[in-house]
Each structure stands twice: as C-alpha cells, then as structure tokens.
Amino acid sequence: MKLFDCHTHLFEYPRDEITEILDRAQDSGVAGAILAGTTIETSRKAIELANLDTRLFAGVGIHPMDIEKQPSDENIDEIRHMLDDPRVVAISEVGLDGMEGAPSQDLQECVLRMHIQLGHETGLPIIYHARFAYPWILDVLREEKAGALGGAAHYFQGDLDTAYKCIDMGFYISLARPLLRIKELQEVTRKIPLDAIVLETDCYPQPFKKKRENWTEPRHVLEVAEAVAELKGLELNQIIEQAGDNLIKMLGQRSTEVTRLLGE
Ligand SMILES: [Zn+2]
C-alpha cells in the first residue's frame, strides 16, 4: 500500500513542474493526489490535469472565499457536467469560512447547500473547508444530510469534541503538516481512531519561502504519516495501510483507479 495526498492545489504550480513534483512524491511513497478546484475555472483546470497524468484526480467546487455571487443555473449545470468526468472523485473545495472579509454567511451557506445537493445527485463525497466555521458548518451538513455522502474535514485543526462530531456524522479527519507543530492537534490525533484519518498537504506554491525545497508538496504526506505513527505508537506501515483503506472507503464508487494506484 502507498500513501496518497487527498487535497492539493497542484494546478497552481507551473505546469512543467508537476511531473517532477509527482515523481518526488512517488520517491517518498506517495502515489498520487487529488487536485481540489476552488472556482469553476480552476475545477476545469484540475480535471484537465487529472486527465493528463494517471497519478492525479480532481475535486470540483467553489471555495467559500472565492464566491463572488450566487451561482447561476448555467454555473450549476456546468459544475454538474464536470462532476460526470471519471477523474473527478470528490466535491472539493467547498465549505464555510468565518474569517473577517469572507463573503456573507447566507451566500456561503447557499453555495455549500448547492454543492451538497449535487453530491446527492452524484454520490460523490464532500471534502470541506471550515475556518472559524465550527459548529456552524456541522448544522448545515446535518440539515443537508451530507453525512450520507461522507468525505473529509480538510486541514483539520479543531478540538477533540469537534473531531468526534465530524466522525460521528460520517466524515474523515484530514490531517496535514500543522500536525507537526500544533500540540493540541497532536493530542486530538492521539485520541481519535486511526480508521477516521486521511492525509493531505493542501499544497500550493509558496514563493514567500525562499528555498524552493521548503515548499510543501505531496511528498510531505510521508512526514504527516510518520507523525501519526509516532503519536499513536504504531508502525508507519500500519498508518499507510489504514489511511489507504480509509481513502478508498471515502471515495466509494469512484475509488477504482485510486485503489489500483495505491496497490501498485
Ligand atoms: Zn485547499
């Protein structure tokens, strides 16, 4: 079994770097990645790239911080059409953001509900963003019965109670590099069951980091997996196996290609 990065924005990197990035990931035992779109345009880009490299898969969605206005019927049809692409494995990145300056709460909620409804039409899982958005988002997910679709709480940094609420609703806790430094998150990780964990990097280009080798890439999923192993007092292999099984379960009907890749 291999590792996998269930949430990235690799389409933001120069296209001629993507193959090297994926090769470096493979050298670290990370077989592939999901590219999470943040707008209709980048969702389209994610699908395009996922059709060019067998290690890539796409998520489609409008990020709460990128909502400009109520999506038109035409926009919704376009999203629906994109979800049909066999390389699309999740509705992502969607969610709620409570940060100052974010779009209005009503608009964000409406767009998230629209995405969840598309999830019910397609059966695709929801990999969601929630910044300063608990418990708000749990109410919306519950009202829209998103638990039936499952998915993941992406870049999770909440407390133990919140983690259990997500898990109980049917979502995986998706851990990224903040696990390496945030003590509270390490405590939460120690306590939640291993069969509730998936791994990611949320990587995008980081020009503010002077050294290129310090930019986060899918290869860093290995570090996150090692941290989980240490926190739980388990072998790295056990983390790799379980995280792989969790991912396959989370992706459900569209997991076939990912399963193949993880087993290669
Ligand atoms: Zn993201």
Side-chain angles (χ1 to χ4, degrees):
M1 189 75 96
K2 306 260 176 57
L3 287 163
F4 191 88
D5 190 343
C6 83
H7 187 102
T8 75
H9 301 286
L10 280 177
F11 48 78
E12 300 284 0
Y13 287 80
R15 189 165 287 205
D16 60 1
E17 281 189 33
I18 293 178
T19 303
E20 300 160 32
I21 291 171
L22 292 170
D23 290 348
R24 282 196 285 274
Q26 256 180 321
D27 289 345
S28 297
V30 181
I34 298 174
L35 311 177
T38 52
T39 60
I40 290 179
E41 202 194 348
T42 58
S43 294
R44 215 183 284 127
K45 232 172 162 179
I47 294 174
E48 196 191 324
L49 286 171
N51 276 288
L52 291 176
D53 194 306
T54 53
R55 297 169 288 187
L56 295 178
F57 299 84
V60 166
I62 303 172
H63 190 291
M65 294 301 282
D66 288 309
I67 300 169
E68 285 167 3
K69 55 179 170 39
Q70 189 76 41
S72 64
D73 286 348
E74 205 176 59
N75 294 151
I76 299 171
D77 275 343
E78 191 173 359
I79 296 172
R80 186 180 280 121
H81 178 70
M82 286 195 277
L83 295 176
D84 280 340
D85 192 292
R87 299 301 293 178
V88 173
V89 293
I91 295 181
S92 176
E93 181 170 353
V94 300
L96 297 176
D97 198 307
M99 189 107 129
E100 226 185 271
S104 82
Q105 295 206 347
D106 281 353
L107 183 56
Q108 288 191 48
E109 259 193 57
C110 176
V111 173
L112 175 58
R113 288 180 200 274
M114 178 272 286
H115 281 111
I116 300 170
Q117 280 159 22
L118 290 173
H120 286 300
E121 285 179 25
T122 55
L124 288 167
I126 310 281
I127 300 180
Y128 70 83
H129 164 109
R131 179 168 54 175
F132 306 127
Y134 288 110
W136 176 27
I137 196 161
L138 293 171
D139 294 334
V140 179
L141 293 169
R142 191 176 303 108
E143 284 163 22
E144 297 295 332
K145 301 188 168 48
L149 302 167
H154 136 70
Y155 217 73
F156 187 83
Q157 297 188 38
D159 61 18
L160 187 63
D161 181 55
T162 305
Y164 274 120
K165 282 184 173 137
C166 299
I167 296 166
D168 289 345
M169 209 185 279
F171 289 91
Y172 289 92
I173 300 298
S174 187
L175 298 170
R177 287 181 105 187
L179 180 64
L180 308 180
R181 54 184 164 79
I182 302 177
K183 290 275 168 292
E184 294 82 0
L185 188 56
Q186 293 169 354
E187 276 316 302
V188 170
T189 302
R190 223 190 284 274
K191 286 174 184 149
I192 59 173
L194 184 56
D195 66 6
I197 293 174
V198 291
L199 308 169
E200 62 158 297
T201 60
D202 197 23
C203 67
Y204 57 90
Q206 295 170 299
F208 52 88
K209 290 183 180 172
K210 282 205 187 89
K211 286 192 182 154
R212 176 63 182 80
E213 66 260 36
N214 291 338
W215 293 15
T216 300
E217 293 185 2
R219 66 188 169 93
H220 290 113
V221 165
L222 177 59
E223 279 184 359
V224 184
E226 284 168 347
V228 175
E230 201 187 318
L231 287 162
K232 292 201 165 289
L234 295 170
E235 294 295 325
L236 177 61
N237 229 19
Q238 293 172 273
I239 309 301
I240 295 174
E241 290 290 324
Q242 189 64 54
D245 286 347
N246 297 345
L247 176 73
I248 291 166
K249 222 186 247 176
M250 176 176 90
L251 299 181
Q253 47 160 5
R254 298 249 179 116
S255 64
T256 318
E257 283 303 300
V258 174
T259 308
R260 191 187 52 74
L261 201 62
L262 290 178
E264 262 176 7

